[in-house]
């Protein structure tokens, strides 16, 4: 590293750290350190300081390394959502934040507005933002950045992704599993930098308490080549030069296919109040000693060497900003796969045909927790585009990172394991609301639900929780047969901007009539006229899911014979259609309504929101008190012909009273 480059790195690090401290504590006079008084400070400073210096250090060096002509695209990814204050400082200097909001322009007024707005800037917030540099992974889902970076880097030989991971994150299941899971990826060039500052949030980190030898042995045991670099509390140009050398060497090794990791050994909160996790000075207006400490702290970064009074960068900082490249991945147009007609050949054949058609475009990945064969999809094992590891959280990170680069993906798992994904999926919903360009959807195909599995494998709570968010990007698809599974999967893979959850049993062998499939796809539900009486119904039977469709189909004849009433049958292909206020068009004006669905009845009641002012009942999953055979479980929940008939008769009797 040349002397000039070391000066550039030092200037950029000092500027990022200075502006982060300013955002945490100031509301005006951001560059007038010597003149600060009580009117310039925030009455209640809030935010996170501890991660700032180390995050700023890695970001500065990653940007400068990328700008040095290293031959690959270098993409830094922030793992800690609390590092948003550093990201905002960087985005102000690069001008990216002004593109989002012109109030934060690259001048003194824009800088003052930036500081004053933190942490409550409208539409911006205080944490990592996906529209700003290094923000492809927004955070909030603690520990997911490593797997996300692996997904971003998949099948991209000219791209090296650098996730900045905290040592506290290394204690999470997602990060811990990602080290080993990397072996399942043949072409993912990731150079993780572990911010080894010795502390997580409130106490010492487990990894930080280990010696360099122990940390290195840990990494080597998982298949990674470690390099430990230590930065002191008052780093000089030599330390910048050494870290730059290690980082560039790591990028070059990673580009050649090596698995290397850089451990940045440092002290949490160095260059300021050491060891502090959150904003350390909280009584600036009431404590003159704290105000004096803030002046000294800010002065230590020598801001006059970095900025003109009008906030324009000067000297080494100006040169650094001109040379740095913080990278981004903009998704391109999606290739159009060939359509595959469904032919009633069963779950495995139909699903495999759709996946192979999409894989032929070269942009599909299938991720599964070692269950492809169990899910009747064993013929996909060994395909270059199918990856299996037994860690659902890692798979979600992979599919999220993969689709964030504009490519299609699906995770195939058991319904019982899917609740492990809830935090990550909600995090992705939050992140994608903020992304301007439409990304391919995150898709889940959930099989082996509790109705056909063992006692410990009965848990439909993922869809209940996702529907509870009320997010319009959520789709829960409940196809009635294998032909409709194929249609739902094809539609999900072609869609953008959604989280699609398809709930479909691998054992399904019943095929229903096809004439309403297009209406089910477009409207989310349709009247099955071959099972319905003409005219206004007395009772509407609603089925959602393959088992529900089979039970309702078998029950219709018995109910009609016993009650003599007019019946309408409605099949629900997308559960979110039940939130449509115009359900009367399908359910009838005055009919009693019995809904039979695979998941929790509470999910259905939540979608209806009391809009059907009539007699309504819902049959769905009922938690068994102990292990029981499938037939007894169905009877326990009323999810059999007898239970559906009894519930229908009770509704009709109630109407007569």
């Amino acid at each position: 590293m040349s002397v000039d480059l070391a000066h550039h790195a030092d200037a950029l690090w000092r500027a990022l750290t200075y502006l982060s401290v300013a955002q945490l504590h100031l509301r005006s006079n951001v560059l007038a350190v010597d003149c600060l008084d009580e009117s310039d400070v925030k009455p209640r400073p809030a935010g996170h300081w501890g991660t700032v210096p180390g995050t700023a250090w890695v970001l500065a060096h990653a940007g400068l390394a990328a700008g040095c002509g290293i031959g690959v695209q270098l993409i830094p990814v922030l793992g800690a959502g609390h590092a948003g204050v550093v990201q905002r400082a960087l985005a102000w200097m690069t001008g990216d934040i002004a593109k989002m909001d012109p109030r934060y322009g690259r001048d003194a007024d824009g800088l003052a507005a930036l500081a004053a707005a933190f942490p409550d800037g409208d539409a911006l917030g205080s944490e990592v933002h996906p529209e700003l540099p290094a923000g492809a992974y927004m955070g909030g889902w603690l520990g997911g950045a490593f797997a996300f970076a692996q997904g971003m880097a998949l099948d991209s030989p000219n791209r090296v992704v650098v996730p900045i991971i905290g040592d506290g994150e290394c204690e999470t299941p997602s990060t811990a599993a990602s080290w080993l899971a990397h072996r399942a990826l043949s072409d993912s060039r990731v150079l993780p930098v572990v911010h080894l500052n010795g502390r997580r949030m409130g106490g010492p980190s487990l990894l930080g308490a280990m010696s360099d030898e122990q940390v290195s042995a840990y990494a080597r045991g998982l298949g990674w080549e470690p390099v430990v670099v230590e930065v002191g509390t008052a780093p000089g140009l030599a330390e910048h030069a050494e870290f730059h050398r290690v980082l560039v060497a790591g990028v070059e090794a990673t580009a050649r296919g090596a698995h290397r990791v850089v451990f940045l050994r440092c002290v949490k909160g160095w260059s300021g109040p050491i060891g502090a996790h959150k904003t350390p000075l909280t009584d600036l207006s009431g404590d003159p000693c704290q105000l004096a400490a803030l002046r000294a702290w800010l002065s230590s970064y020598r801001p006059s060497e970095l900025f003109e009074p009008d906030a324009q960068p000067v000297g080494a900082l100006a040169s650094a900003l001109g040379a740095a490249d913080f990278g981004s991945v903009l998704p391109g147009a999606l290739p159009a796969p060939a359509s595959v007609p469904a032919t009633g050949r069963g779950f495995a054949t139909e699903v495999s045909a759709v996946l192979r058609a999409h894989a032929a475009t070269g942009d599909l990945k299938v991720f599964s927790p070692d269950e492809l064969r169990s899910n009747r999809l064993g013929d996909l094992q060994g395909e270059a585009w199918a990856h299996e590891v037994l860690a659902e959280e890692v798979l979600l990170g992979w599919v999220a990172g993969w689709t964030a680069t504009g490519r299609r993906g699906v995770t195939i798992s058991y319904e019982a394991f899917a609740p492990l994904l809830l935090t990550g999926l909600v995090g992705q919903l939050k992140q994608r609301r903020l992304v301007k360009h439409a990304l391919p959807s995150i898709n889940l195909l959930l099989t082996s639900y509790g109705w056909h599995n063992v006692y410990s494998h009965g848990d439909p709570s993922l869809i209940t929780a996702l529907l509870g968010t009320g997010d319009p990007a959520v789709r829960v698809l409940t196809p009635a047969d294998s032909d409709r599974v194929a249609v739902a999967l094809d539609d999900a893979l072609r869609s953008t901007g959604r989280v699609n959850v398809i709930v479909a049993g691998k054992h399904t062998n019943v095929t229903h009539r096809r004439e309403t499939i297009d209406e089910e796809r477009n409207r989310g539900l349709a009247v099955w006229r071959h099972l319905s009486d003409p005219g206004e119904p007395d009772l509407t039977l609603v089925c959602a899911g393959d088992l529900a469709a089979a039970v309702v189909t078998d029950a219709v004849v018995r109910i009609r014979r016993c009650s003599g009433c007019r019946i309408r049958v409605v099949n629900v292909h997308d559960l979110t259609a039940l939130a449509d206020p115009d359900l009367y068009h399908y359910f009838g004006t005055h009919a009693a309504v019995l809904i039979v669905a695979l998941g929790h009845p509470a999910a259905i009641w939540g979608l209806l929101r009391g809009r059907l002012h009539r007699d309504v009942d819902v049959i769905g999953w009922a938690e068994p008190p102990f292990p029981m055979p499938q037939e007894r479980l169905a009877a326990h929940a009323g999810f059999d012909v007898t239970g559906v008939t009894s519930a229908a008769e009770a509704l009709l009797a109630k109407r007569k009273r």
Side-chain angles (χ1 to χ4, degrees), residues 267-291:
V267 176
K268 187 165 187 173
W270 98 70
S271 76
I274 288 174
H277 178 63
K278 294 187 175 182
T279 308
L281 304 177
T282 58
D283 189 20
L284 293 165
S285 57
D287 185 346
C289 293
Q290 285 197 18
L291 184 58

Side-chain angles (χ1 to χ4, degrees), residues 415 418 422 425 429 441-446 449 459-480 484-485 487-489 491-492 495 497-504 520-521 523-525 543-546 571-579 597-600 603-604 607:
E415 185 186 55
L422 178 59
L425 285 171
L429 286 168
S441 299
I442 292 178
N443 304 301
L444 276 71
L445 174 58
L446 302 183
Y449 31 72
D459 185 4
S461 60
L462 176 71
I463 61 173
T464 305
L466 286 178
L467 290 171
T469 68
D471 193 316
V474 171
R475 295 287 190 276
V476 176
L477 304 171
T478 53
R484 287 169 169 83
V485 173
V487 166
L489 181 58
D491 288 345
S495 70
R498 295 179 179 173
V499 167
N500 297 305
V501 182
I502 305 169
V503 185
E520 291 171 32
R521 293 170 69 184
R523 296 297 301 271
L525 71 173
C543 51
D546 48 12
N571 182 58
V572 176
H573 184 72
D574 179 354
L575 277 183
T576 61
L578 293 177
L598 290 172
H600 289 131
I604 305 302
L607 289 167

Side-chain angles (χ1 to χ4, degrees), residues 332-338 357-364 406-408 440 490 493-494:
L334 287 169
H358 281 270
T361 66
D363 79 327
L364 175 77
R407 299 171 288 184
R408 298 182 178 96
D490 185 51
L493 288 170
R494 293 174 188 269

Side-chain angles (χ1 to χ4, degrees), residues 153-501:
L154 263 175
D155 291 359
S156 303
N158 295 317
R159 177 185 304 151
V160 173
V161 182
V162 180
I164 305 170
I165 305 166
D167 47 4
E169 290 175 72
C170 291
E171 299 175 22
T172 65
S174 299
T175 300
S178 295
W179 299 106
L180 192 60
H182 200 71
R183 291 173 176 267
L185 304 177
S186 59
D187 185 21
S188 179
R189 290 165 169 79
V190 176
L191 176 64
V193 177
V194 178
H195 187 185
L196 201 63
N197 65 19
R199 299 183 70 82
R200 41 183 186 251
M201 289 178 282
S205 65
L206 299 177
L207 202 64
M210 295 164 64
S211 67
D212 289 355
E213 292 75 16
Q214 290 171 324
V215 167
S216 297
Y218 172 74
R220 288 194 187 97
L222 293 170
W224 292 79
E225 178 188 351
V227 181
V228 182
V229 183
E230 186 164 357
V231 175
T233 56
L237 298 181
E239 284 163 297
H240 280 290
E242 174 62 9
F243 187 83
H244 178 83
R245 183 193 66 77
V246 167
L247 185 65
V248 170
V251 171
E252 292 172 345
T254 302
R256 294 192 301 268
H259 295 172
R260 185 169 293 186
V261 54
V262 176
F263 291 97
L264 173 62
R265 173 96 57 189
C266 57
V267 176
K268 187 165 187 173
W270 98 70
S271 76
I274 288 174
H277 178 63
K278 294 187 175 182
T279 308
L281 304 177
T282 58
D283 189 20
L284 293 165
S285 57
D287 185 346
C289 293
Q290 285 197 18
L291 184 58
L294 178 63
R295 291 195 195 100
W297 183 10
L298 289 167
S299 296
S300 70
Y301 301 112
R302 307 191 301 280
S304 62
E305 297 177 6
L306 305 172
F307 300 101
E308 296 281 9
D310 62 357
Q312 297 307 303
V314 295
L317 176 60
S319 299
L321 290 171
D325 179 3
F326 295 95
S328 63
V329 180
L330 295 177
L334 287 169
S339 296
V340 180
T343 56
R345 295 170 293 175
F347 175 88
T349 303
E350 299 292 353
V351 169
S352 293
V354 171
L355 293 176
R356 291 188 182 282
H358 281 270
T361 66
D363 79 327
L364 175 77
K365 288 288 186 184
V366 174
F367 305 102
S368 178
D370 194 34
E371 298 290 354
L372 283 176
R373 187 167 299 280
S374 175
N375 279 327
R376 310 290 176 87
L377 301 172
D379 63 315
L380 302 183
Q381 289 179 318
E383 295 287 357
W385 40 270
H387 303 276
E388 291 188 276
V389 293
L390 196 55
E392 277 76 6
E393 300 95 330
V394 171
L395 296 176
L396 179 58
W398 286 355
V399 76
W402 173 259
T403 56
T405 62
R407 299 171 288 184
R408 298 182 178 96
V410 58
T411 297
I412 303 175
S413 186
Y414 280 14
E415 185 186 55
F417 306 154
L420 293 168
L421 305 177
L422 178 59
T423 299
L425 285 171
V426 171
Q428 282 299 303
L429 286 168
K430 290 177 179 293
Q431 176 164 344
R432 292 182 176 217
R433 287 178 210 143
L434 304 179
V435 176
K436 293 179 181 177
H437 46 272
L439 296 173
S441 299
I442 292 178
N443 304 301
L444 276 71
L445 174 58
L446 302 183
T447 70
S448 297
Y449 31 72
W451 300 102
H452 279 167
N453 219 313
V454 296
Y455 176 67
S456 62
H457 283 37
D459 185 4
S461 60
L462 176 71
I463 61 173
T464 305
L466 286 178
L467 290 171
T469 68
D471 193 316
V474 171
R475 295 287 190 276
V476 176
L477 304 171
T478 53
D481 56 29
S482 60
D483 284 4
R484 287 169 169 83
V485 173
V487 166
L489 181 58
D490 185 51
D491 288 345
L493 288 170
R494 293 174 188 269
S495 70
T496 60
R498 295 179 179 173
V499 167
N500 297 305
V501 182

